[in-house]
Amino acid sequence: MVQLYNLHPFGSQQVVPCKQEPAHFCCGRDVLFVAGTAASCRVEVFAVRDQGRCEPLGSFATLGPVLRMAHSRAGDYLVTIEEKSKATFLRAYMNWRCMSAGSSRVCVRMVGHKMEESYSETLKEQMSIVEMPLSDPPLCISCCPVTGDLLVGCKNKLVMFCLKYLVINQNLTVLDFERSLILHIDNLIPAEVAFCSKHIAITTELDVLILKLELVQQSADRTEQCTHGITALEKPVDRGVTDKDPLTQSLQLEVDEFVICQKPLELLGEESKLCEIPITLESTELPTEDTKRFQVRYLLFRRFTPDQSPFGFCEETKLHSLQLLPVYQTGNSVTAHEEIENETELLSLFCFFSLPHVGYLYSVGKLIELISTYQYSEKSEQAVLTPQFLHVITSEKLQCFTVRCSAAAARDEDPYIDTTVKACPPVTLDVCTLRMQLFIGPRVICHFKNHIILLTKADTEDITERRKPSRRMLSRKADSIKSRTTSESEPGWNLYIINTVSTIQLYREMVDYSRTYENVKTESCIHLLSEAHLLLRAAIMDPSFLKSDEKEEILRAFRESCALLGDCYSRFDTKDYHLALPYYRMSGLSMTEVLKRLASEGDEIQTYEKGFLFYLTHSLNEELNEELSKESANQVLRIFYLADPEQLPHILCSPCMRNVCPSTAVEYLQKVEKMMPSVVLTLATAFMALKMGDLMMYEHEMDSYKEAALTCGFIGQPKLLRQHKEGVVIPTEFAVHLKETQPGLLVAATVALHENSKIELEEADTFFKMLCSNSENNIPQLLVDFWEALLVVCSQEEIVQELLLRITSQYVWRISKKQHPETKPLKTTEDLINSCNHFGSIFPWVTSIMSAGSPSDEDYHEDIPKLQSLLCSHSINIASALPVLEPLSEAGNIGLAIHVLCSTHLGKHEEAIDQLLQRCPDAAVLYAQHELKGDSRPVWWNKLLPELCKRTRLNGNDCPVLISSLKETLSVVAMELELRDFLSLLPEDGTAAFFLPHLLHCSQRKLLT
C-alpha cells in the first residue's frame, strides 16, 4: 500500500537555456548533455552550478540524430547511438571538455586503433570520437559506474567493451575500448540494458532478466566458448506457449483473431535458471596470461502479461525505466551509486523497472527479493531511482516516492541492526508518496546529484488553449490568425532543472508533519518518522557526506530521529514496542534524559506503555555506568510499582539505582510482598534494610526462609550479591555482610550462581578476592571454600580439573610456606571425603608415613590431609599436577607421601617401593598390600622381596623393621608362587631356619590344592 503525504521535496527550478529542442539528455559529474531532435545534429553541454544554475560550455556535432546517450563517470566519456542514412552507429566522445575551452579540433578514430606518439600533443587539445562498429545495429547502451566498461544491446546478443587506459607517454594517457565479451541470447531483443559491477539487467517489452558475470579458472583452450544452457529435470510449470508445439501452430492458424499470451512468471535466485533463456559467452579479447574467463549466474527472471480490460488487451503495456542502483562499502563508510571513484566492495545492489501503472524494486545483491511495489495513480511515462527517492512522471505530474534502499543496505552493512543494540525501519515498511507536482506534458526525466532534469512538451492543442485571449472582442478571422501564429512561434517545450530541497529541510518538514498524528498515537506518526530516519540514513551513506558542510547537522538530526522513534515506541501501544530500546541507544540519550521526555513527576494516574517499561528494564539490567539521581531513581521506583511491581526487586539491584531512597523502597517492597510474596522480594527488602542500617529488620527478613530457599532467591537475582562496574565484578553491601555473618550461605549462593550460569569461574575468583580485600596473587580462604564446595556439585570435567589444580596449588603453597588460612575453613577433610567424590579416603600406608612425621606438622595439618585426600582419589590428572606439587619434594614425610602417591598414580610402583624402603620401610608392606594388586602383583616377588633381602643382609639384625617386612613379604609370596619359583627367589646364602617355615607353607598349600 502506498501512503500519500503532502510534503515538499522539490524546491526551486531553473530553465536550461537550450538553443534547440531536446530529444535526449543525460548527466555526468558536473555537466548536462542535451541532444537535439532530428533537425539538429548537435549535443549541447551545460555546467550545472549551485541551485541548478546552468551555464553553456559549448556544443559539438554528431553524425546524425542521437537515439540513445549515456555518460560514464569513470573515464568521463559520452557514448551515443546515432542514426544516419537509416543506419545506426555507436560512438564514444572522449576529451569533450576541450570543446568548452574553445578548441574546435576533432579526431575520429576506430576502436582499438593504434595511436602514434607523434600525435601526443595534438591529442591533448582535441576531442576524440571513437567509432565502435558492430555487426548488428545497437539498440541500447549502459555504462558501468565503477569501471567505465560499456554494455551494448543488440538483437539476440549483448556486447561488452572494456575501458582501457593507454599510456602514450608520461604526460599523456588516452582512453580506448576493447571488445572483450559477447553474450549470445537467442530470441531476445533488448529494449533496455543496465550494467554495474558485472551485473547485467535486460528488459524486453514484457520480460526482465538479471545476470551476473562470475570469474572462473582459466581454461587451457582460450578459444573455448562457455555455454550456459538450462537442462531442467522436469518441465517448468509456467513454460507458456512455444512455436515448437504443433498443436499451438494449428490453433493459431484456426483462430488468428485471438492473442495467446504466456503466463506471468517470477523466478528468483537459482530458480531463475528455469527461464529457458540459454546464454552463450564468446570471449573476443586477445588471449593473454591475464585474460579473465567468465560464467553466467542467473539472478532473476520475471515475465509480465499485457494489461487486460473489458475492451481487450492494452497494446501500450511495456516495461520501461530499467535501472541498477549499487551501494558500495569503502572502509568503514557506506557509499551510494553515483560518486564511486575506484572499484570497491559491492555492499548492496538494487534493480528497478516499471510497467505503466506499477513499479518494482528488487534487491539483487546478497539476497534476491522483491522489496517494494509502487502503484501509480495514473499511467507513467518514465521513472528514475535514487538512493533517497523514486521520481515518476506521468502525463501531468512529477511524483516523488520513498524507497527502502538505505534500510536494506544498512542491514547488509551492520550485523547489529535488528538487535537490542541498533535498529532500522524494516525493508517491508509501506512506501509513501511525498508529493505530486503538476507539470504540463512531462516527457523525460533523469537525476543528477540533488537535481532532477525534466523535459516537458505540451501538445499543440494545449498551447493554443493556454494562449487564447480571454476577451472575445476579436473577429473570427483575427482569432484564427492569432491562434495560428501562437502555435507556430511557441516552442511548446521546456527543459527544467528542479532542485530537491536539502535533506535537513525535508527531514524537519517530515517531523513537523508527524506531530499532527502524535496526539492520536497512530501508526502514521511512526511511519512518517521512519521515512525521515531512512532519509537521513541515505544521506549518511552518500559518498559526499564526509565532506559535506551539513555533516554535523545531519548526524545531530539522525540522533534526534532515533530519539523521536524511541518516544513513539515508548508511548504508543504497538507490537514493535521493543524497538524503543535500540532507538534510544542510537540517540545517545541518557536514562535521565529519557525519563524527562516521557515521565511526569508525581503523576500517579499516568500510564506507561510496554515500550517504555521495556527500555527501562533492559537499561537497568545491563549495568550501565550511569547513576540516577535520588529524584530520578525514586521516580523509576514509582513507575515500576505502578506498572510492573514484580520487577521492583530486580531494578533495585541495578547500579543505576544506588541513590534510591531505601526507606521508600522498603515501603514499596512490603506492599508488593503482601500481594505476591517471594524469596527475591524478601532478599531485596533485607538488602534495603542493610542500607538503612536496620539490622533487626534485616535479620527478620533473612529468618523468613531456610538457607536453601535463600540460595534459590540469589539465583533469581544475582545482583543482590555482585554487580559489574566497567567490566569488573564488584561485591555488594549484602555480600560483605554475609561474609561476616553467614559465609556458608554466601559460598552456597555463589556455587548456585555458577551452576546456573549466572557467574563465571574467573568472575567468582575476582568476586571473593575483592570481597576479602586480597591482592590478585593472594587466595583468600573463602575462595578456597568456594572451590571445595563447587567440586561437590560440578559435573563439567574441564572445570573439575581446573578446580583440582587450583585447590592443589593453594594447599601446596600454604604447606610449603607454613601459612595458616585467615579464616576457619568451612569444611574439614572428613566433610569433604563424605560429600565429594573427588576427595578419597586416605590410604593406610599414607597414614603410616605421616605417623612417623615431626610434631610441627600438626600446626597446619588440615591442608595436609586435604591434599592427600585429593591425591588418594582418581579424579586429579597427576601429570598436570606434578609441577604444582614440586615445592613439596623436600618436605620430609609430607613430601615422601606426596611423591609416592604421584608415582603410584603414574604406575611407577617399583620407584615408589624404592622411596619407601629408603625413607620409611615401615610403610613398604602396607603400600604393597594396598597397591600391588592385579597386574601389579608380580612386583611383590620381582621387586619388593629381592630389595628386602638385599637391605636385610646389609643391615643385619640392626633393623627389625626390615626383618618383619621381609617375613610379611615371604608370607604373601609363598601364597602366590609355585614351590620351585618361590625357592628360586630365595638367596643362596640365606639362613635355612629363617626361610624354612615359608617353604613348608608354600609346599603345604600345594598339597592342599
Side-chain angles (χ1 to χ4, degrees):
M1 183 179 71
V2 178
Q3 302 201 29
L4 175 62
Y5 299 107
N6 189 24
L7 298 171
H8 301 83
F10 307 126
S12 62
Q13 64 187 40
Q14 305 286 335
V15 176
V16 180
C18 300
K19 296 179 181 179
Q20 54 193 10
E21 180 179 348
H24 301 278
F25 54 88
C26 66
C27 301
R29 293 192 179 179
D30 56 346
V31 296
L32 170 65
F33 299 93
V34 181
T37 53
S40 61
C41 300
R42 296 196 72 80
V43 172
E44 295 182 87
V45 186
F46 299 89
V48 183
R49 308 299 185 193
D50 295 337
Q51 303 301 320
R53 291 183 299 105
C54 280
E55 296 179 4
L57 290 181
S59 65
F60 52 86
T62 59
L63 187 64
V66 175
L67 305 180
R68 298 282 181 103
M69 65 189 305
H71 176 268
S72 172
R73 178 176 180 83
D76 193 22
Y77 68 86
L78 180 72
V79 62
T80 62
I81 298 177
E82 304 171 16
E83 183 180 30
K84 185 174 183 181
S85 302
K86 297 183 180 181
T88 53
F89 301 86
L90 181 65
R91 308 177 101 203
Y93 293 83
M94 312 287 193
N95 202 24
W96 52 267
R97 290 182 183 269
C98 66
M99 299 294 293
S100 61
S103 173
S104 59
R105 303 183 59 170
V106 177
C107 165
V108 181
R109 55 189 169 89
M110 297 293 290
V111 65
H113 175 69
K114 184 177 180 181
M115 286 161 286
E116 302 295 337
E117 290 192 21
S118 57
Y119 296 131
S120 60
E121 293 302 321
T122 306
L123 288 170
K124 278 185 181 180
E125 301 173 359
Q126 68 182 14
M127 181 174 72
S128 295
I129 302 175
V130 180
E131 299 271 7
M132 289 175 275
L134 296 167
S135 58
D136 294 290
L139 302 176
C140 46
I141 49 177
S142 179
C143 302
C144 176
V146 179
T147 61
D149 293 347
L150 173 64
L151 185 71
V152 184
C154 304
K155 182 179 180 181
N156 296 334
K157 65 182 176 183
L158 303 176
V159 183
M160 188 170 80
F161 291 87
C162 288
L163 182 65
K164 300 291 184 181
Y165 294 84
L166 305 178
V167 179
I168 303 299
N169 55 48
Q170 60 181 0
N171 297 320
L172 179 63
T173 299
V174 177
L175 298 181
D176 198 9
F177 290 96
E178 179 182 5
R179 178 165 27 200
S180 59
L181 190 67
I182 299 177
L183 290 80
H184 295 277
I185 310 175
D186 293 340
N187 301 318
L188 184 133
I189 301 177
E192 290 182 293
V193 292
F195 188 34
C196 178
S197 293
K198 300 297 185 289
H199 291 77
I200 297 173
I202 317 159
T203 59
T204 61
E205 287 190 355
L206 292 171
D207 292 348
V208 182
L209 177 63
I210 303 178
L211 314 166
K212 183 180 180 182
L213 296 176
E214 295 182 332
L215 286 172
V216 294
Q217 292 183 350
Q218 296 184 10
S219 172
D221 183 8
R222 297 190 179 274
T223 60
E224 179 186 0
Q225 295 183 1
C226 300
T227 303
H228 299 267
I230 304 302
T231 305
L233 296 177
E234 57 183 1
K235 295 182 180 179
V237 176
D238 296 310
R239 184 173 176 178
V241 181
T242 63
D243 293 337
K244 296 178 182 179
D245 188 353
L247 177 60
T248 302
Q249 293 177 356
S250 61
L251 284 174
Q252 286 181 336
L253 293 174
E254 295 177 5
V255 287
D256 288 337
E257 66 271 18
F258 290 98
V259 177
I260 299 177
C261 299
Q262 294 177 313
K263 294 180 181 179
L265 179 64
E266 181 186 46
L267 300 173
L268 304 178
E270 292 298 319
E271 289 184 355
S272 57
K273 293 179 180 178
L274 303 176
C275 65
E276 294 186 321
I277 300 179
I279 298 174
T280 303
L281 299 185
E282 178 187 353
S283 178
T284 57
E285 62 183 333
L286 294 175
T288 64
E289 293 183 358
D290 299 327
T291 299
K292 296 178 180 178
R293 307 292 294 179
F294 293 101
Q295 64 182 7
V296 170
R297 182 159 72 94
Y298 292 77
L299 300 181
L300 181 147
F301 176 76
R302 183 148 188 183
R303 174 184 298 142
F304 297 92
T305 55
D307 289 340
Q308 299 182 37
S309 71
F311 306 102
F313 289 98
C314 176
E315 295 182 358
E316 295 182 357
T317 302
K318 295 179 182 178
L319 288 164
H320 64 76
S321 304
L322 175 67
Q323 186 176 345
L324 286 176
L325 178 73
V327 177
Y328 292 89
Q329 186 165 16
T330 53
N332 295 323
S333 63
V334 178
T335 57
H337 80 309
E338 296 168 275
E339 303 292 329
I340 304 302
E341 295 285 354
N342 303 306
E343 186 167 0
T344 52
E345 180 186 354
L346 183 68
L347 178 65
S348 304
L349 185 65
F350 305 95
C351 181
F352 176 82
F353 48 85
S354 183
L355 288 170
H357 293 283
V358 60
Y360 300 90
L361 178 61
Y362 279 86
S363 170
V364 291
K366 298 176 182 177
L367 192 64
I368 315 296
E369 63 176 346
L370 177 64
I371 292 181
S372 303
T373 301
Y374 296 87
Q375 298 287 342
Y376 310 138
S377 58
E378 52 187 286
K379 179 188 171 185
S380 63
E381 301 288 340
Q382 192 182 356
V384 59
L385 178 68
T386 76
Q388 290 180 311
F389 304 111
L390 172 69
H391 301 289
V392 180
I393 55 173
T394 64
S395 60
E396 295 181 344
K397 296 173 185 174
L398 167 60
Q399 300 182 13
C400 177
F401 295 87
T402 56
V403 296
R404 301 289 167 259
C405 299
S406 58
R411 286 167 171 81
D412 289 338
E413 177 199 21
D414 194 340
Y416 289 102
I417 296 289
D418 298 327
T419 67
T420 58
V421 180
K422 294 181 182 179
C424 179
V427 176
T428 55
L429 183 71
D430 289 340
V431 296
C432 69
T433 305
L434 297 184
R435 187 74 178 174
M436 290 187 180
Q437 188 74 39
L438 290 175
F439 278 91
I440 296 176
R443 290 293 185 268
V444 187
I445 185 174
C446 76
H447 176 261
F448 171 62
K449 293 184 178 178
N450 60 332
H451 310 294
I452 297 167
I453 293 85
L454 179 65
L455 173 63
T456 63
K457 188 174 181 182
D459 294 333
T460 305
E461 310 85 65
D462 297 334
I463 301 170
T464 304
E465 187 65 29
R466 220 170 9 147
R467 289 294 189 177
K468 275 186 181 179
S470 58
R471 299 174 64 184
R472 308 295 298 171
M473 294 185 295
L474 299 177
S475 66
R476 182 184 301 269
K477 181 177 179 181
D479 195 4
S480 175
I481 296 170
K482 178 68 176 178
S483 298
R484 185 170 59 253
T485 305
T486 303
S487 61
E488 289 174 356
S489 61
E490 173 69 45
W493 58 264
N494 272 308
L495 187 62
Y496 295 102
I497 292 189
I498 304 168
N499 303 310
T500 54
V501 300
S502 69
T503 299
I504 291 296
Q505 182 179 338
L506 185 56
Y507 164 76
R508 296 294 178 203
E509 186 182 4
M510 286 181 167
V511 171
D512 291 341
Y513 200 128
S514 70
R515 293 196 175 103
T516 61
Y517 302 101
E518 191 174 22
N519 295 329
V520 290
K521 298 184 178 181
T522 64
E523 290 294 325
S524 293
C525 183
I526 295 178
H527 184 275
L528 202 47
L529 287 175
S530 298
E531 294 287 6
H533 180 86
L534 290 176
L535 182 73
L536 294 171
R537 273 195 181 275
I540 293 172
M541 288 180 176
D542 191 279
S544 61
F545 171 71
L546 295 177
K547 300 177 182 178
S548 171
D549 296 335
E550 294 184 329
K551 176 183 176 182
E552 293 302 323
E553 191 175 1
I554 289 176
L555 289 176
R556 280 195 301 271
F558 181 79
R559 290 190 291 268
E560 180 191 54
S561 76
C562 293
L564 291 172
L565 282 168
D567 291 346
C568 286
Y569 287 112
S570 296
R571 288 175 176 154
F572 299 173
D573 183 11
T574 171
K575 62 182 179 65
D576 296 322
Y577 64 88
H578 61 278
L579 293 175
L581 176 63
Y583 277 121
Y584 275 138
R585 280 181 170 170
M586 294 162 64
S587 72
L589 293 176
S590 66
M591 208 183 317
T592 302
E593 291 169 325
V594 173
L595 283 169
K596 289 179 180 178
R597 295 169 73 96
L598 297 178
S600 302
E601 194 71 41
D603 186 0
E604 295 290 340
I605 306 175
Q606 182 176 0
T607 59
Y608 301 99
E609 296 294 346
K610 290 185 290 185
F612 182 43
L613 296 176
F614 183 83
Y615 162 74
L616 282 180
T617 303
H618 277 261
S619 298
L620 292 168
N621 287 338
E622 287 173 6
E623 299 177 337
L624 305 175
N625 292 328
E626 179 186 0
E627 282 191 20
L628 297 176
S629 64
K630 182 177 180 180
E631 294 75 18
S632 297
N634 289 341
Q635 188 181 15
V636 170
L637 190 66
R638 180 180 59 82
I639 289 171
F640 278 96
Y641 172 69
L642 296 174
D644 193 1
E646 289 185 7
Q647 292 294 324
L648 275 183
H650 304 289
I651 64 108
L652 281 170
C653 296
S654 171
C656 303
M657 298 288 286
R658 288 191 182 97
N659 298 322
V660 72
C661 176
S663 59
T664 306
V666 168
E667 179 185 348
Y668 283 133
L669 287 169
Q670 289 176 342
K671 288 181 181 179
V672 175
E673 195 165 13
K674 289 179 182 178
M675 298 182 290
M676 47 183 81
S678 72
V679 185
V680 179
L681 274 168
T682 300
L683 288 172
T685 306
F687 189 11
M688 292 297 109
L690 268 182
K691 287 192 171 187
M692 294 167 59
D694 191 340
L695 294 181
M696 288 185 62
M697 181 189 294
Y698 168 81
E699 291 173 1
H700 172 73
E701 296 294 334
M702 294 298 286
D703 291 340
S704 302
Y705 292 94
K706 294 182 179 180
E707 186 172 301
L710 293 175
T711 301
C712 293
F714 286 119
I715 296 173
Q717 184 43 263
K719 292 177 187 174
L720 288 163
L721 294 178
R722 60 105 182 100
Q723 294 176 348
H724 287 85
K725 186 174 183 181
E726 297 178 357
V728 179
V729 178
I730 307 293
T732 63
E733 299 97 317
F734 205 161
V736 173
H737 189 75
L738 287 176
K739 166 184 168 277
E740 303 296 334
T741 58
Q742 294 175 279
L745 174 60
L746 178 61
V747 168
T750 312
V751 169
L753 291 179
H754 181 274
E755 288 304 286
N756 286 273
S757 303
K758 298 296 179 72
I759 191 171
E760 298 295 330
L761 190 58
E762 297 300 330
E763 287 182 326
D765 290 358
T766 306
F767 171 76
F768 281 108
K769 287 177 181 178
M770 296 194 69
L771 185 65
C772 300
S773 301
N774 283 55
S775 66
E776 188 66 29
N777 297 324
N778 292 334
I779 307 297
Q781 175 57 38
L782 207 56
L783 178 54
V784 179
D785 292 330
F786 165 72
W787 289 341
E788 291 174 348
L790 187 56
L791 269 178
V792 175
V793 297
C794 187
S795 58
Q796 300 178 52
E797 183 61 25
E798 184 178 350
I799 294 179
V800 166
Q801 290 301 321
E802 177 66 24
L803 289 172
L804 290 171
L805 283 177
R806 292 185 182 192
I807 293 174
T808 301
S809 177
Q810 184 61 15
Y811 291 158
V812 169
W813 183 83
R814 289 205 298 227
I815 293 170
S816 62
K817 301 292 184 183
K818 298 187 178 182
Q819 182 80 34
H820 293 278
E822 69 273 15
T823 58
K824 183 181 178 180
L826 295 178
K827 290 190 177 183
T828 64
T829 306
E830 194 67 27
D831 295 334
L832 291 172
I833 292 173
N834 293 332
S835 62
C836 182
N837 295 330
H838 305 297
F839 287 85
S841 298
I842 299 176
F843 302 147
W845 59 268
V846 175
T847 306
S848 175
I849 294 174
M850 295 306 299
S851 64
S854 62
S856 62
D857 292 345
E858 297 296 323
D859 294 339
Y860 52 102
H861 71 282
E862 191 62 43
D863 286 331
I864 296 173
K866 284 184 178 179
L867 177 59
Q868 291 170 346
S869 177
L870 266 183
L871 296 176
C872 287
S873 73
H874 294 284
S875 297
I876 192 167
N877 186 333
I878 291 296
S880 301
L882 283 177
V884 176
L885 296 167
E886 186 63 29
L888 296 181
S889 58
E890 304 298 330
N893 284 6
I894 301 170
L896 174 63
I898 300 302
H899 208 294
V900 174
L901 280 168
C902 292
S903 297
T904 304
H905 274 288
L906 297 173
K908 300 177 179 180
H909 297 290
E910 295 183 2
E911 181 181 319
I913 288 173
D914 281 337
Q915 293 168 348
L916 288 172
L917 291 175
Q918 181 68 30
R919 299 173 59 182
C920 188
D922 288 0
V925 174
L926 283 174
Y927 173 84
Q929 290 172 343
H930 190 270
E931 302 294 342
L932 301 183
K933 299 174 182 178
D935 294 340
S936 302
R937 198 93 176 144
V939 178
W940 277 95
W941 50 86
N942 292 334
K943 178 65 179 179
L944 183 58
L945 180 58
E947 282 293 328
L948 284 172
C949 291
K950 176 183 175 183
R951 293 173 188 271
T952 303
R953 183 188 300 113
L954 293 174
N955 292 282
N957 295 326
D958 297 335
C959 189
V961 174
L962 290 174
I963 294 174
S964 63
S965 298
L966 179 58
K967 288 181 179 180
E968 290 184 41
T969 303
L970 287 169
S971 298
V972 172
V973 175
M975 293 297 293
E976 295 289 334
L977 297 182
E978 296 293 331
L979 180 59
R980 181 181 299 175
D981 296 333
F982 180 55
L983 185 60
S984 66
L985 292 173
L986 300 180
E988 295 178 357
D989 57 346
T991 304
F994 183 83
F995 293 103
L996 186 57
H998 300 287
L999 286 167
L1000 291 173
H1001 183 67
C1002 182
S1003 63
Q1004 289 172 354
R1005 179 182 62 83
K1006 180 65 176 175
L1007 290 173
L1008 289 173
T1009 56

